[in-house]
Amino acid sequence: MENVDLESENWSELHFGGIAGESEARRGVITEGGTVAPMDSTVLICGTNGDGNDALYKAVMALSRSIAGRTDLRSLLSGVAESLRRIVAFDHVGLILHDPNGNAMQGYILNEPCNPVITSLRLRVDQDPAGWVWLNQQPLVVSPLQSETRWPEFVRRARDFGISTLMLVPLTTGDHRLGAFGFSSVAPLDPSPAVIGFLERVASEFAVAVESFLAKQEAVRERDRLRTLFDITDALVSKLDRDELFSAISGQLSKVIRHDCALLTLCNEKGGLDVYALHSTIPQLLEPLKEPFNPVGMPAEEVLTSGKPVVACEADIDRYPNPNFRRFLALGFKSVCSVPLMARNRIIGTLALNRITDDPWTSEDVEFLVQVASQIAITVSNSLAFRELGDIKDRLATEKLYLEDEIRLDQNIGNMVGEGPAFQGVVRGIQTVAPTDANVLITGETGTGKELVARAIHELSGRSKGSFVKVNCAAIPASLLESELFGHEKGSFTGAVAQKIGRFEVAHHGTLFLDEIGEMPLELQPKLLRAIQDQEFERVGGNRTIRTNARLVAATNRDLKAMVEEGKFRADLYYRLHVFPLVVPPLRERREDIPLLSRYFVQKHAQRMSRNIESIPTSVLDALTNYDWPGNIRELQNVLERSVILTKGSALEVAMHELMGKAAPVTCRGGSRAEPQNAERARILKALEEARGQVGGPDGAAARLGLKRTTFQSRMRKLNISRQFC
């Protein structure tokens, strides 16, 4: 009899089971079209020294002996195959179990008579003849298999191996339906009722052993889960380093739930998720997942909203529009199981296991992961609380110094610093337009802080909880700018290997900031006009209209009105953008803000570089104030950063020739120990007089000399100066 090669790649997709058939299968052969033909008597029954019944009886007894004490699936199948071979000639014997996870039939095939590699195979119930046997609890004989039309997927997989006959019987113990059991043959067979009855008798004996095996398997799984929970608990109470802790947790979890990457995230104040811990056995998967991300349009959003586990896979790509989900799939992941971290009746984050295989997530996997997450959540919550207490302790130790050192301007917004009339005019404009949804056009020279103005408008608006999405029209090639703004569909152009969501969609319910709008190509401007005017657009290569609700703020250092007259910018787009213009003045028009800006930048860079710079000499402030700053605030910041790097002492040192046009640097160390005390005393008295005796604050004497308030007071005591002299 011809042997079928079970080691071939195609055979690994074939198993023996099925879904359809007729109740008359006990008495005949199911043929093409579903008709039942009577069986003839040419059955391979090998009775020896007695009649067929004696052979059947001996075979059943041999079956009981052969499977007794066998505790694994391979030996169980080998034992039943040994007994079945006494009565029926076959090429393969199969055990097919119903898997409620995915409603599939999971088959295990043993090649006979050559032995024996068990091949694990899987088909849906509605694609598998064993499914019908399991559902109807009746035997099924299909011969010839090649002409069968009711299970095309099964027949397609079996066709290359010349399988002629398939016979299956239910595998049941009491009311417990386990699946189906049977054999196949390359040679045509016409099994008689005696053979069918024998196979049913074999199946009834075999079912008991299989049920015992499954029960033992479940007991082993439960034992492993309990042991894993214990080991995770032990790790939680013994390891303090979070990376070491999460690595241990992931390692323990992999014993019972197979995964390739584990991710622990925590909610942040902005509504996003920070990656708290990450572990993977594949190092290249770690780096792309380390950054915080917005959960909107991700499985994590469902977890955080519902408080329930979520399983997502490749087929859900349209269900989760966030670009991060597509990036996740692009890394090679096929599925994710994400569960909430619940601590003190609130969700603090998520625990997610990722797979690069198509293995299904069972309900037992999800339930166990929820149990693990509840343990982790308590530990993480306690760790965060402990860390917060430590931070509070550190802050209290230095709170006085920070409060005295901080520049406080009640009229400032975010990182915007200033107090002069030009600055206050911009602030009033921001406060006026921010609560509305009007389009804003911000103009001004390069380096004046137009992006800061745009961010302030967003933060003071009703959209502050949404995204602030920035697009620099000058930094993106013209050929890619349309895709960046509106997104594209898969295959819309060379290199478009996946669908991409544009910035307009990401900015939904938020603010879209178009910087350098004057650099936008003329041919793209009509599509931008429609998106602004109608709040709708189509992706590149797509035909579906997408609606969005994004506020537009644009900025430019060019004269758009002149560009309109020259035909380089569309007039209709210009007037649509020019609803509320805001002009940011150059730094030379707000010289009174230069000392405040200088102090702010020096403190910022000194703190970052761990430099102790206590003062800015008056001569330096005068030079900074008198310079015209063609590069505006950006140039000022760069000069001060370079000066902080070069400063050796506690007083800021600036290469004055850069500001005064001299060839050699002049280092000014005003207020240093080398300065005569009478000159320093005179400067302090003059500053106190100008400030009307006020020491601290933005208008105080300390600020006028570029000193910290504590430093200024120390020098007053040293020089025996009191406010009564003012």
Side-chain angles (χ1 to χ4, degrees):
M1 183 176 295
E2 180 184 355
N3 293 323
V4 179
D5 180 12
L6 282 178
E7 299 301 317
S8 70
E9 181 179 355
N10 290 334
W11 176 251
S12 66
E13 296 183 353
L14 174 64
H15 80 87
F16 302 97
I19 60 164
E22 305 292 341
S23 61
E24 293 83 1
R26 292 178 179 271
R27 301 184 297 276
V29 177
I30 300 179
T31 61
E32 182 178 4
T35 60
V36 180
M39 297 186 220
D40 59 29
S41 58
T42 58
V43 180
L44 296 172
I45 300 180
C46 310
T48 57
N49 298 325
D51 58 16
N53 290 332
D54 183 53
L56 291 174
Y57 173 77
K58 290 182 178 180
V60 172
M61 293 300 295
L63 170 67
S64 299
R65 291 192 299 269
S66 65
I67 64 177
R70 304 202 185 199
T71 57
D72 62 273
L73 195 59
R74 181 188 301 276
S75 61
L76 279 173
L77 267 179
S78 298
V80 75
E82 179 182 342
S83 302
L84 186 61
R85 197 184 309 117
R86 300 169 183 263
I87 303 300
V88 183
F90 60 87
D91 292 283
H92 312 93
V93 62
L95 164 67
I96 308 96
L97 300 174
H98 177 255
D99 183 1
N101 293 299
N103 196 27
M105 303 302 294
Q106 180 69 52
Y108 304 93
I109 314 305
L110 186 66
N111 189 16
E112 289 289 337
C114 302
N115 189 13
V117 175
I118 291 183
T119 306
S120 178
L121 307 158
R122 188 180 182 89
L123 284 175
R124 292 202 320 263
V125 168
D126 60 352
Q127 296 176 339
D128 195 330
W132 181 89
V133 174
W134 173 75
L135 287 170
N136 294 276
Q137 292 296 288
Q138 294 181 13
L140 176 65
V141 178
V142 183
S143 183
L145 182 63
Q146 289 79 3
S147 56
E148 178 57 56
T149 60
R150 289 166 292 172
W151 308 289
E153 179 66 16
F154 178 82
V155 173
R156 182 185 66 79
R157 298 185 182 189
R159 184 175 296 118
D160 294 338
F161 304 96
I163 305 301
S164 177
T165 301
L166 173 68
M167 180 174 178
L168 297 166
V169 295
L171 194 67
T172 304
T173 59
D175 295 331
H176 189 194
R177 300 181 179 186
L178 302 177
F181 171 71
F183 64 83
S184 70
S185 173
V186 174
L189 295 180
D190 290 326
S192 68
V195 173
I196 296 175
F198 168 71
L199 195 59
E200 288 183 297
R201 179 66 181 275
V202 169
S204 66
E205 295 284 340
F206 189 40
V208 175
V210 171
E211 185 176 47
S212 176
F213 166 76
L214 295 176
K216 181 179 178 182
Q217 242 189 355
E218 181 60 31
V220 170
R221 280 196 298 266
E222 184 63 24
R223 180 202 65 193
D224 292 343
R225 292 179 189 276
L226 290 174
R227 182 177 296 169
T228 299
L229 280 175
F230 175 81
D231 292 339
I232 288 175
T233 302
D234 182 61
L236 289 171
V237 300
S238 62
K239 293 182 172 61
L240 299 179
D241 180 78
R242 68 181 180 185
D243 292 329
E244 180 185 0
L245 170 63
F246 197 64
S247 176
I249 291 174
S250 179
Q252 294 295 337
L253 271 175
S254 64
K255 296 178 181 179
V256 292
I257 304 179
R258 201 205 63 73
H259 63 278
D260 300 289
C261 181
L263 183 70
L264 184 68
T265 65
L266 296 180
C267 300
N268 59 35
E269 296 178 353
K270 298 180 180 179
L273 288 174
D274 294 327
V275 177
Y276 180 78
L278 181 65
H279 178 259
S280 176
T281 56
I282 307 175
Q284 58 266 32
L285 296 179
L286 297 178
E287 195 62 33
L289 300 177
K290 289 183 178 180
E291 297 298 324
F293 63 93
N294 187 342
V296 176
M298 296 279 286
E301 182 187 22
E302 283 189 45
V303 175
L304 297 174
T305 302
S306 65
K308 298 179 179 179
V310 172
V311 174
C313 59
E314 286 181 300
D316 298 317
I317 189 169
D318 292 329
R319 180 182 172 188
Y320 302 111
N322 193 308
N324 285 324
F325 187 69
R326 287 164 173 78
R327 187 163 63 98
F328 169 83
L329 297 177
L331 291 174
F333 292 111
K334 297 295 183 65
S335 65
V336 57
C337 179
S338 182
V339 300
L341 295 177
M342 299 285 295
R344 299 177 179 86
N345 296 322
R346 69 184 184 94
I347 301 176
I348 63 172
T350 67
L351 172 63
L353 298 188
N354 309 313
R355 287 176 176 169
I356 59 176
T357 63
D358 293 320
D359 297 347
W361 296 91
T362 67
S363 57
E364 290 81 5
D365 290 342
V366 177
E367 182 181 352
F368 183 71
L369 194 57
V370 170
Q371 290 180 311
V372 172
S374 65
Q375 290 184 288
I376 295 175
I378 295 173
T379 301
V380 171
S381 179
N382 291 339
S383 173
L384 293 176
F386 181 79
R387 183 188 303 174
E388 185 177 355
L389 288 174
D391 292 341
I392 292 174
K393 181 180 178 181
D394 293 339
R395 283 201 304 270
L396 289 175
T398 56
E399 184 180 27
K400 183 179 179 180
L401 294 176
Y402 279 117
L403 289 175
E404 291 175 346
D405 190 50
E406 185 177 6
I407 297 176
R408 299 184 183 276
L409 294 173
D410 294 336
Q411 299 298 321
N412 287 351
I413 302 176
N415 289 327
M416 298 176 63
V417 177
E419 60 179 5
F423 174 82
Q424 294 301 325
V426 175
V427 171
R428 285 192 296 271
I430 292 172
Q431 293 171 337
T432 299
V433 75
T436 73
D437 268 348
N439 297 333
V440 181
L441 178 62
I442 306 171
T443 58
E445 296 179 8
T446 181
T448 53
K450 295 186 289 296
E451 182 178 345
L452 283 179
V453 173
R455 289 187 181 275
I457 292 172
H458 171 73
E459 291 169 3
L460 292 177
S461 72
R463 299 171 177 265
S464 58
K465 293 183 179 179
S467 300
F468 179 81
V469 181
K470 175 186 174 183
V471 179
N472 190 319
C473 300
I476 302 174
S479 58
L480 298 178
L481 186 56
E482 182 178 2
S483 170
E484 196 68 28
L485 287 173
F486 306 111
H488 63 251
E489 300 291 348
K490 180 180 179 180
S492 56
F493 54 84
T494 302
V497 296
Q499 185 189 71
K500 177 182 179 180
I501 293 180
R503 301 294 180 91
F504 260 98
E505 285 182 79
V506 177
H508 186 57
H509 293 309
T511 302
L512 178 64
F513 175 50
L514 297 182
D515 199 7
E516 304 293 351
I517 187 69
E519 308 301 326
M520 176 168 287
L522 196 61
E523 62 272 14
L524 185 56
Q525 294 178 20
K527 193 167 185 178
L528 175 62
L529 177 64
R530 183 202 170 191
I532 299 172
Q533 187 167 287
D534 301 333
Q535 294 281 284
E536 62 182 32
F537 58 91
E538 290 88 31
R539 297 192 186 111
V540 177
N543 53 18
R544 181 171 66 91
T545 299
I546 300 172
R547 297 198 59 82
T548 185
N549 180 12
R551 180 184 192 172
L552 189 73
V553 177
T556 182
N557 59 5
R558 304 185 65 177
D559 186 351
L560 291 187
K561 184 66 173 176
M563 292 181 66
V564 170
E565 295 173 355
E566 296 171 3
K568 297 180 180 179
F569 200 86
R570 290 181 62 99
D572 47 5
L573 177 59
Y574 170 74
Y575 291 114
R576 177 59 63 179
L577 296 172
H578 200 260
V579 175
F580 192 94
L582 268 178
V583 180
V584 183
L587 193 55
R588 62 182 175 274
E589 295 180 8
R590 43 180 297 211
R591 298 181 188 273
E592 63 277 4
D593 292 334
I594 291 178
L596 290 176
L597 288 166
S598 301
R599 177 69 173 168
Y600 173 80
F601 288 130
V602 168
Q603 286 184 336
K604 174 183 174 182
H605 296 309
Q607 184 177 11
R608 178 170 58 86
M609 300 177 193
S610 299
R611 298 293 180 88
N612 183 27
I613 298 179
E614 297 181 352
S615 64
I616 303 176
T618 303
S619 56
V620 171
L621 285 177
D622 291 342
L624 294 174
T625 303
N626 293 328
Y627 184 59
D628 281 343
W629 299 109
N632 294 293
I633 297 176
R634 184 181 294 117
E635 183 185 2
L636 172 65
Q637 181 177 1
N638 293 339
V639 168
L640 292 174
E641 183 177 6
R642 182 166 63 253
S643 299
V644 169
I645 295 173
L646 297 174
T647 296
K648 305 299 182 183
S650 61
L652 183 71
E653 301 175 10
V654 177
M656 302 298 290
H657 71 283
E658 296 184 7
L659 307 180
M660 303 174 65
K662 294 182 178 180
V666 177
T667 301
C668 182
R669 300 177 180 269
S672 66
R673 294 182 179 179
E675 183 180 25
Q677 290 190 358
N678 57 350
E680 184 177 5
R681 179 184 177 87
R683 287 195 310 110
I684 292 176
L685 287 172
K686 182 180 179 181
L688 284 169
E689 181 181 358
E690 292 175 351
R692 297 181 181 180
Q694 181 180 346
V695 175
D699 296 324
R704 292 175 183 273
L705 294 181
L707 299 174
K708 296 181 181 179
R709 184 167 65 88
T710 53
T711 303
F712 186 86
Q713 290 174 330
S714 174
R715 294 186 180 182
M716 285 179 63
R717 289 191 295 269
K718 178 181 177 181
L719 298 172
N720 197 24
I721 298 175
S722 63
R723 298 190 188 185
Q724 64 184 6
F725 291 109
C726 304

